[in-house]
Amino acid sequence: MKKAKYFDAWVIALVVSFLPVIIWIFAPSFTPRLGDLNIVLKSVGQIVALIGVAMFAVNLILSARLKIFDDYFGGLNKLYEKHNLLGQIALILLLAHPLLLIPTYASSYAGAASFLLPSDDWEKTLGILALATMIGLIVITLYLRPKYNIWKWTHKFLGGAFFLGALHMFFIPSDVSRFLPLKIYMLVLSASAIVAFVYRSLLSNILIKKYKYKIITVKQLNKHATEIVMAPKNEILKFSAGQFVFVSFNDTAVSKESHPFSISSSSSDNNLAIIVKNLGDYTKQVAKLSIGSDVEIEGPFGSFSCDKAKNKKQIWIAGGIGITPFISMAASLPRNQGYDIHLFYSVKSADEAILPKGLTESDINIVLHETDKKGYAQVSILEQITDGFKDTDVFICAPPMMIAAFKKQLEAKGIDKSLIHSEEFDF
């Protein structure tokens, strides 16, 4: 998939977010938009509100996790990077909106305080409640980083915050309520956001396709990781090596919310395998799953696959549990097709390494790097084990800091960004 497509998708999201301002410029106004400081602040307050609401709407639409977004943003993880960024920008803009209006509607500190509090002016109160709800949820989501099940639960209230904000926008006297083109645009965008929210958060069990599997193997690979192998109960999920899925176990050992896991089995296998690292309360319980338990799978997602590489000469860089998509790639790799692959696998110590036979018996050159003994992995080490980076695609799946460090070092070596592919879970 072309990088231009990813760029275009991001540009489209920004255009949709800023277009209301262009429409607003052409709206007839009964009061001046430029003049003294208070008038300017009021106009800027209207602009930031329009952009903030539009970005909030785009965020809800992107969070629907539609396959088309996964394709156009270059993978769901990259989409969620944009999703988080848009959410933070929207919060800042919507926070600025009432503050910029204070000089117009309040002449004292007491008046300013009352302006920011609920009152019998229900249209204004809707906006205050929406903003307060959004602030609380965004702070919890982005800064407090709660446990995954709490994070998912709090996300369900974002649609309610947006709905209150939309009601405020349409009912309070403003250019949105007076100027039909702007009203229609914001109505269509808001309705799309609410539909996306209902689809993903409220009716996902009914509307979203899930594949039915059952657990056939639970195997402790080492003290840090467990392999779960699942067999299809009916339809088989088709995927490309390197992709990931959202998995929900119907088992008393763990909670039922879905979690993302890279697929570690071959794309030609009917059975589906994942490897889970013991990182928290949920993942530590996975080893207790029972044989025969039902599983729901949603996906596949992601564009992290050596099939899409420009060159057959490749360097794979894995950090910790980031080895899992490479296990799938190695198992799916066609033999005798001229591939020249080096796998650089960084772990804290050798006992953490996950090296199944399908990987160790492949034609891939594997270098295990133990950070406890050799320090942090560096690109300079790659230069020692390969014959350089010319005509080479580089794939990285690792913790975010490791990915960022390697990208910076690789680009400093002159490697084109289009040849560096990364996958990380940070959502």
Short mmCIF file of all heavy atoms in Angstrom, two decimals, residues 4 28 69 75 97-98 128 170 194 202 233 263 265 281 300 305 325 347 362 377 413:
data_model
loop_
_atom_site.label_atom_id
_atom_site.label_comp_id
_atom_site.label_asym_id
_atom_site.label_seq_id
_atom_site.Cartn_x
_atom_site.Cartn_y
_atom_site.Cartn_z
N ALA A 4 1.39 7.39 0.10
CA ALA A 4 0.53 8.53 -0.27
C ALA A 4 -0.89 8.31 0.19
O ALA A 4 -1.58 9.25 0.57
CB ALA A 4 0.57 8.72 -1.79
N PRO A 28 -23.75 34.76 6.74
CA PRO A 28 -24.10 36.15 7.06
C PRO A 28 -24.13 36.34 8.57
O PRO A 28 -24.61 35.49 9.32
CB PRO A 28 -25.50 36.30 6.46
CG PRO A 28 -26.04 34.91 6.36
CD PRO A 28 -24.87 34.02 6.14
N PHE A 69 -10.80 2.13 7.16
CA PHE A 69 -9.88 3.03 7.87
C PHE A 69 -8.56 2.31 8.14
O PHE A 69 -7.49 2.91 8.06
CB PHE A 69 -10.51 3.49 9.19
CG PHE A 69 -11.77 4.28 9.03
CD1 PHE A 69 -12.73 4.29 10.03
CD2 PHE A 69 -12.01 5.01 7.88
CE1 PHE A 69 -13.90 5.02 9.90
CE2 PHE A 69 -13.19 5.75 7.73
CZ PHE A 69 -14.13 5.74 8.74
N GLY A 75 -2.88 0.71 8.85
CA GLY A 75 -2.94 -0.14 10.03
C GLY A 75 -3.67 0.52 11.17
O GLY A 75 -3.66 1.75 11.32
N HIS A 97 -12.95 27.27 24.03
CA HIS A 97 -14.20 27.89 23.57
C HIS A 97 -14.89 28.74 24.65
O HIS A 97 -15.10 29.95 24.45
CB HIS A 97 -15.13 26.81 23.03
CG HIS A 97 -16.53 27.26 22.78
ND1 HIS A 97 -16.83 28.24 21.85
CD2 HIS A 97 -17.72 26.89 23.34
CE1 HIS A 97 -18.15 28.44 21.83
NE2 HIS A 97 -18.70 27.63 22.74
N PRO A 98 -15.25 28.19 25.82
CA PRO A 98 -15.92 29.04 26.81
C PRO A 98 -15.01 30.11 27.40
O PRO A 98 -15.47 31.20 27.75
CB PRO A 98 -16.36 28.03 27.89
CG PRO A 98 -15.43 26.88 27.73
CD PRO A 98 -15.12 26.79 26.28
N ILE A 128 -21.86 22.96 28.91
CA ILE A 128 -21.01 22.82 30.10
C ILE A 128 -20.92 21.37 30.53
O ILE A 128 -19.83 20.85 30.83
CB ILE A 128 -21.55 23.71 31.23
CG1 ILE A 128 -21.39 25.19 30.87
CG2 ILE A 128 -20.81 23.41 32.54
CD1 ILE A 128 -22.13 26.13 31.80
N PHE A 170 -26.55 22.93 18.29
CA PHE A 170 -27.70 23.16 17.40
C PHE A 170 -28.78 24.04 18.02
O PHE A 170 -29.52 24.71 17.30
CB PHE A 170 -28.30 21.82 16.97
CG PHE A 170 -27.44 21.05 16.02
CD1 PHE A 170 -26.91 19.82 16.37
CD2 PHE A 170 -27.12 21.57 14.76
CE1 PHE A 170 -26.10 19.13 15.50
CE2 PHE A 170 -26.32 20.88 13.88
CZ PHE A 170 -25.80 19.65 14.24
N ILE A 194 -22.41 9.87 15.72
CA ILE A 194 -23.28 9.17 16.66
C ILE A 194 -23.59 7.76 16.15
O ILE A 194 -23.60 6.78 16.93
CB ILE A 194 -24.57 9.97 16.91
CG1 ILE A 194 -24.22 11.26 17.68
CG2 ILE A 194 -25.59 9.15 17.68
CD1 ILE A 194 -25.35 12.25 17.78
N LEU A 202 -22.31 0.37 21.29
CA LEU A 202 -23.58 -0.08 21.85
C LEU A 202 -24.15 -1.32 21.16
O LEU A 202 -24.79 -2.15 21.80
CB LEU A 202 -24.61 1.06 21.79
CG LEU A 202 -24.21 2.35 22.52
CD1 LEU A 202 -25.34 3.37 22.42
CD2 LEU A 202 -23.86 2.08 23.97
N LYS A 233 -15.13 -22.92 14.77
CA LYS A 233 -16.36 -23.67 14.97
C LYS A 233 -17.18 -23.72 13.69
O LYS A 233 -18.00 -24.61 13.50
CB LYS A 233 -17.18 -23.05 16.11
CG LYS A 233 -16.47 -23.09 17.45
CD LYS A 233 -17.32 -22.52 18.56
CE LYS A 233 -18.49 -23.42 18.92
NZ LYS A 233 -19.21 -22.92 20.12
N ILE A 263 -1.41 -12.40 15.51
CA ILE A 263 -1.55 -13.81 15.17
C ILE A 263 -0.16 -14.40 14.99
O ILE A 263 0.69 -13.81 14.32
CB ILE A 263 -2.37 -13.98 13.88
CG1 ILE A 263 -3.76 -13.34 14.05
CG2 ILE A 263 -2.50 -15.45 13.50
CD1 ILE A 263 -4.53 -13.20 12.76
N SER A 265 0.22 -17.85 14.11
CA SER A 265 0.14 -19.04 13.26
C SER A 265 0.33 -18.67 11.79
O SER A 265 0.25 -17.50 11.40
CB SER A 265 -1.21 -19.73 13.46
OG SER A 265 -2.27 -18.81 13.37
N ASP A 281 -2.94 -7.91 35.00
CA ASP A 281 -3.92 -8.76 35.65
C ASP A 281 -4.61 -9.69 34.66
O ASP A 281 -4.83 -10.88 34.94
CB ASP A 281 -4.98 -7.90 36.37
CG ASP A 281 -4.38 -7.12 37.54
OD1 ASP A 281 -3.30 -7.52 38.00
OD2 ASP A 281 -4.99 -6.13 37.97
N PRO A 300 -9.37 -9.65 10.47
CA PRO A 300 -8.07 -9.21 10.96
C PRO A 300 -7.84 -7.72 10.69
O PRO A 300 -8.52 -7.11 9.87
CB PRO A 300 -7.10 -10.06 10.13
CG PRO A 300 -7.82 -10.21 8.81
CD PRO A 300 -9.28 -10.31 9.16
N SER A 305 3.10 -6.56 7.11
CA SER A 305 3.31 -7.85 6.48
C SER A 305 4.45 -7.78 5.48
O SER A 305 4.52 -6.83 4.68
CB SER A 305 2.03 -8.30 5.76
OG SER A 305 2.24 -9.50 5.06
N PRO A 325 4.28 -11.42 15.43
CA PRO A 325 3.96 -11.34 14.00
C PRO A 325 5.05 -11.95 13.12
O PRO A 325 4.76 -12.47 12.04
CB PRO A 325 3.80 -9.84 13.75
CG PRO A 325 4.52 -9.17 14.86
CD PRO A 325 4.38 -10.09 16.03
N VAL A 347 15.66 -9.17 23.66
CA VAL A 347 14.95 -9.53 24.88
C VAL A 347 15.82 -9.15 26.08
O VAL A 347 17.03 -8.94 25.94
CB VAL A 347 14.65 -11.05 24.95
CG1 VAL A 347 13.60 -11.44 23.92
CG2 VAL A 347 15.92 -11.87 24.77
N SER A 362 13.70 -22.38 10.08
CA SER A 362 13.50 -21.68 8.81
C SER A 362 14.84 -21.23 8.25
O SER A 362 15.89 -21.43 8.86
CB SER A 362 12.59 -20.47 9.03
OG SER A 362 13.26 -19.48 9.80
N ALA A 377 19.65 -2.33 22.27
CA ALA A 377 19.93 -2.65 20.86
C ALA A 377 20.16 -1.37 20.07
O ALA A 377 19.53 -0.34 20.31
CB ALA A 377 18.75 -3.42 20.28
N LYS A 413 20.80 6.78 8.82
CA LYS A 413 21.66 6.01 7.91
C LYS A 413 21.25 6.21 6.45
O LYS A 413 21.87 5.64 5.55
CB LYS A 413 21.59 4.52 8.26
CG LYS A 413 22.17 4.17 9.63
CD LYS A 413 23.69 4.28 9.63
CE LYS A 413 24.27 3.87 10.96
NZ LYS A 413 25.76 4.00 10.98
#
